[in-house]
Coordinates of all heavy atoms in Angstrom, one line a residue:
L1452 N 92.4 97.0 281.9 CA 92.7 95.9 280.9 C 93.5 96.5 279.8 O 93.4 97.7 279.5 CB 91.4 95.3 280.4 CG 90.4 94.7 281.4 CD1 89.1 94.3 280.7 CD2 91.0 93.5 282.1
D1453 N 94.3 95.6 279.2 CA 95.0 96.1 278.0 C 94.3 95.5 276.7 O 93.3 94.7 276.8 CB 96.5 95.7 278.0 CG 96.8 94.2 278.1 OD1 95.9 93.4 277.6 OD2 97.8 93.8 278.6
W1454 N 94.9 95.8 275.5 CA 94.2 95.4 274.3 C 94.1 93.9 274.2 O 93.1 93.4 273.6 CB 95.0 96.0 273.1 CG 94.4 95.7 271.8 CD1 94.8 95.0 270.8 CD2 93.1 96.3 271.3 NE1 94.0 95.0 269.7 CE2 92.9 95.8 270.0 CE3 92.2 97.1 271.9 CZ2 91.8 96.1 269.2 CZ3 91.1 97.5 271.1 CH2 90.9 97.0 269.8
K1455 N 95.1 93.1 274.7 CA 95.0 91.7 274.6 C 94.0 91.1 275.5 O 93.6 89.9 275.4 CB 96.4 91.1 275.0 CG 97.5 91.4 274.0 CD 98.8 90.8 274.4 CE 99.9 91.2 273.4 NZ 101.2 90.6 273.8
E1456 N 93.4 91.9 276.4 CA 92.4 91.4 277.4 C 91.0 92.0 277.0 O 90.2 92.0 277.9 CB 92.8 91.8 278.8 CG 94.1 91.3 279.3 CD 94.5 91.9 280.6 OE1 94.7 93.2 280.7 OE2 94.7 91.2 281.6
R1457 N 90.8 92.3 275.7 CA 89.6 92.9 275.3 C 88.4 92.0 275.1 O 87.2 92.4 275.0 CB 89.8 93.7 274.0 CG 90.1 92.8 272.8 CD 90.6 93.7 271.6 NE 90.8 92.9 270.4 CZ 91.9 92.3 270.1 NH1 92.9 92.3 271.0 NH2 92.1 91.6 269.0
H1458 N 88.6 90.7 275.2 CA 87.5 89.7 274.9 C 86.3 89.9 275.8 O 85.2 89.7 275.4 CB 88.0 88.3 275.0 CG 88.9 87.9 273.8 ND1 89.2 86.6 273.5 CD2 89.5 88.7 272.8 CE1 90.0 86.6 272.4 NE2 90.1 87.8 272.0
P1459 N 86.4 90.2 277.1 CA 85.2 90.4 278.0 C 84.3 91.5 277.5 O 83.1 91.5 277.9 CB 85.8 90.7 279.3 CG 87.2 90.1 279.3 CD 87.7 90.3 277.9
L1460 N 84.8 92.4 276.7 CA 83.9 93.4 276.1 C 83.3 93.1 274.8 O 82.8 93.9 274.0 CB 84.7 94.8 276.0 CG 84.7 95.7 277.2 CD1 85.4 95.0 278.4 CD2 85.4 97.0 276.9
L1461 N 83.3 91.8 274.5 CA 82.8 91.2 273.3 C 83.6 91.6 272.0 O 83.1 91.6 270.9 CB 81.3 91.6 273.1 CG 80.4 90.6 272.3 CD1 80.3 89.3 273.0 CD2 79.0 91.2 272.0
M1462 N 84.8 91.9 272.3 CA 85.7 92.3 271.2 C 86.6 91.1 270.9 O 87.8 91.0 271.3 CB 86.5 93.5 271.5 CG 85.7 94.7 271.8 SD 86.6 96.2 271.9 CE 87.2 96.4 270.2
R1463 N 86.0 90.1 270.2 CA 86.7 88.8 269.9 C 86.0 88.2 268.7 O 85.0 88.5 268.3 CB 86.5 87.9 271.2 CG 85.1 87.6 271.5 CD 85.0 86.6 272.7 NE 83.6 86.4 273.1 CZ 82.7 85.7 272.5 NH1 83.0 85.1 271.4 NH2 81.5 85.5 273.0
P1464 N 86.7 87.1 268.2 CA 86.1 86.4 267.1 C 84.9 85.6 267.6 O 84.8 85.2 268.8 CB 87.2 85.4 266.7 CG 88.5 86.0 267.3 CD 88.1 86.7 268.5
K1465 N 84.0 85.4 266.7 CA 82.8 84.6 267.0 C 83.2 83.1 267.2 O 84.0 82.6 266.5 CB 81.8 84.7 265.9 CG 80.5 83.8 266.0 CD 79.6 84.0 264.8 CE 80.3 83.4 263.6 NZ 79.4 83.4 262.4
K1466 N 82.6 82.5 268.3 CA 82.8 81.0 268.5 C 81.9 80.2 267.5 O 81.0 80.7 267.0 CB 82.5 80.7 269.9 CG 83.4 81.4 270.9 CD 83.0 81.1 272.4 CE 83.8 81.8 273.4 NZ 83.4 81.6 274.8
H1467 N 82.3 79.0 267.3 CA 81.6 78.2 266.3 C 80.1 78.0 266.6 O 79.3 77.8 265.6 CB 82.3 76.8 266.2 CG 81.9 75.8 267.3 ND1 82.6 75.9 268.6 CD2 81.0 74.8 267.4 CE1 82.1 75.0 269.3 NE2 81.2 74.3 268.7
N1468 N 79.7 78.1 267.8 CA 78.3 77.9 268.1 C 77.5 79.2 268.3 O 76.4 79.3 268.8 CB 78.2 77.1 269.4 CG 78.8 77.7 270.6 OD1 79.7 78.5 270.5 ND2 78.3 77.4 271.8
E1469 N 78.2 80.3 268.0 CA 77.6 81.7 268.1 C 77.1 82.2 266.8 O 77.5 81.8 265.7 CB 78.6 82.6 268.8 CG 78.9 82.3 270.2 CD 79.9 83.2 270.8 OE1 80.9 83.6 270.1 OE2 79.8 83.5 272.0
L1470 N 76.2 83.2 266.9 CA 75.7 83.8 265.7 C 76.3 85.2 265.5 O 76.7 85.8 266.4 CB 74.2 83.9 265.8 CG 73.4 82.6 265.9 CD1 71.9 82.9 266.1 CD2 73.6 81.8 264.6
G1471 N 76.3 85.7 264.2 CA 76.7 87.0 264.0 C 77.9 87.0 263.1 O 78.3 86.0 262.4
P1472 N 78.6 88.2 262.9 CA 79.8 88.3 262.1 C 81.0 87.6 262.6 O 81.0 87.2 263.8 CB 80.0 89.8 262.0 CG 79.5 90.3 263.3 CD 78.3 89.5 263.6
E1473 N 82.0 87.4 261.8 CA 83.2 86.8 262.2 C 83.8 87.4 263.5 O 84.3 86.7 264.4 CB 84.3 86.8 261.1 CG 84.0 85.9 260.0 CD 85.0 85.9 258.9 OE1 85.8 86.9 258.8 OE2 85.1 85.0 258.1
R1474 N 83.8 88.7 263.5 CA 84.3 89.5 264.7 C 83.1 90.2 265.3 O 82.5 91.0 264.7 CB 85.4 90.5 264.3 CG 86.6 89.8 263.5 CD 87.8 90.6 263.6 NE 88.3 90.7 265.0 CZ 89.1 89.8 265.6 NH1 89.4 88.7 265.0 NH2 89.5 90.0 266.8
L1475 N 82.9 89.8 266.6 CA 81.7 90.3 267.3 C 81.7 91.8 267.6 O 80.7 92.4 267.9 CB 81.4 89.5 268.6 CG 81.2 88.0 268.3 CD1 81.0 87.3 269.7 CD2 80.0 87.8 267.5
A1476 N 82.9 92.4 267.5 CA 83.0 93.9 267.7 C 82.2 94.6 266.6 O 81.9 95.8 266.8 CB 84.5 94.3 267.6
H1477 N 81.9 93.9 265.5 CA 81.2 94.6 264.4 C 79.8 94.1 264.2 O 79.3 94.1 263.1 CB 82.0 94.3 263.1 CG 83.4 94.9 263.1 ND1 84.5 94.3 262.5 CD2 83.9 95.9 263.8 CE1 85.6 94.9 262.7 NE2 85.3 96.0 263.5
L1478 N 79.1 93.8 265.3 CA 77.7 93.5 265.3 C 76.9 94.8 264.9 O 77.3 95.9 265.3 CB 77.2 93.1 266.7 CG 77.6 91.7 267.1 CD1 77.5 91.6 268.6 CD2 76.7 90.6 266.5
Y1479 N 75.8 94.6 264.1 CA 74.9 95.7 263.9 C 74.2 95.9 265.3 O 74.1 95.0 266.1 CB 73.8 95.3 262.9 CG 74.3 95.1 261.5 CD1 73.6 94.2 260.6 CD2 75.4 95.7 261.0 CE1 74.0 94.0 259.3 CE2 75.9 95.5 259.7 CZ 75.2 94.7 258.9 OH 75.6 94.5 257.6
A1480 N 73.6 97.0 265.5 CA 72.9 97.3 266.8 C 71.9 96.3 267.1 O 71.8 95.8 268.3 CB 72.3 98.7 266.7
Y1481 N 71.0 96.0 266.2 CA 69.9 95.1 266.5 C 70.4 93.6 266.7 O 69.7 92.8 267.4 CB 68.9 95.1 265.4 CG 69.3 94.4 264.1 CD1 69.2 93.1 263.9 CD2 69.7 95.2 263.0 CE1 69.5 92.5 262.7 CE2 70.1 94.6 261.8 CZ 70.0 93.3 261.6 OH 70.4 92.7 260.4
E1482 N 71.6 93.3 266.3 CA 72.1 91.9 266.4 C 72.5 91.6 267.9 O 72.6 90.5 268.3 CB 73.3 91.7 265.5 CG 72.9 91.6 264.0 CD 74.1 91.5 263.1 OE1 75.2 91.9 263.4 OE2 73.9 90.9 262.0
Y1483 N 72.8 92.6 268.7 CA 73.2 92.4 270.0 C 72.1 91.6 270.8 O 72.4 90.7 271.5 CB 73.5 93.7 270.8 CG 74.8 94.3 270.5 CD1 75.0 95.2 269.4 CD2 75.9 94.0 271.2 CE1 76.3 95.7 269.1 CE2 77.2 94.5 271.0 CZ 77.4 95.4 269.9 OH 78.6 95.9 269.6

């Protein structure tokens, strides 16, 4: 995969119905 295809690794913005930070790549460990 390339950088533009990173979303499957949870490296993407949070969806409106999801919890956590704006960018899910920056979750705290316990938040996963």
Side-chain angles (χ1 to χ4, degrees):
L1452 303 173
D1453 62 26
W1454 186 245
K1455 293 180 180 179
E1456 300 171 302
R1457 66 190 183 277
H1458 287 196
L1460 272 63
L1461 208 63
M1462 300 190 66
R1463 58 174 175 80
K1465 178 183 65 174
K1466 297 176 183 177
H1467 75 279
N1468 61 335
E1469 293 178 321
L1470 299 174
E1473 286 180 342
R1474 303 204 65 83
L1475 298 178
H1477 300 147
L1478 286 159
Y1479 296 154
Y1481 70 83
E1482 291 178 333
Y1483 280 91

